[in-house]
Amino acid sequence: MNTGEVVDALLALDEPWRSRFLRLTASIATGWSWNGRGEPTREELEEWLENPGLRRRVTVLLQTWTGGRLP
């Protein structure tokens, strides 16, 4: 999946999972210093997910959560 597809999949999740996945992604991307900041913006997600390792990690989490059926 490319960066835009992963961001779209994150943003398409239903609540409360959308918020949880967004904050988890932000925490992983910032070395766990994101705590308490709310949800990241689309632009922040796109910037962070340009990192192939992070993008792959988030993709695996999404695929596991959705049973391989990404939103």
Side-chain angles (χ1 to χ4, degrees):
M1 294 180 75
N2 67 39
T3 300
E5 291 170 331
V6 177
V7 172
D8 289 343
L10 284 168
L11 296 175
L13 292 170
D14 292 329
E15 289 295 349
W17 304 109
R18 178 185 182 275
S19 297
R20 292 174 182 172
F21 267 94
L22 292 176
R23 286 193 296 269
L24 176 61
T25 300
S27 293
I28 295 169
T30 63
W32 301 97
S33 67
W34 188 263
N35 192 20
R37 293 191 193 175
E39 293 181 9
T41 65
R42 180 179 186 91
E43 292 76 23
E44 288 169 321
L45 290 167
E46 288 172 349
E47 181 180 333
W48 295 329
L49 292 169
E50 284 297 318
N51 176 303
L54 178 62
R55 187 172 57 250
R56 177 70 182 137
R57 187 171 180 185
V58 171
T59 299
V60 168
L61 288 170
L62 281 169
Q63 289 175 329
T64 300
W65 178 251
T66 62
R69 297 175 313 277
L70 294 179

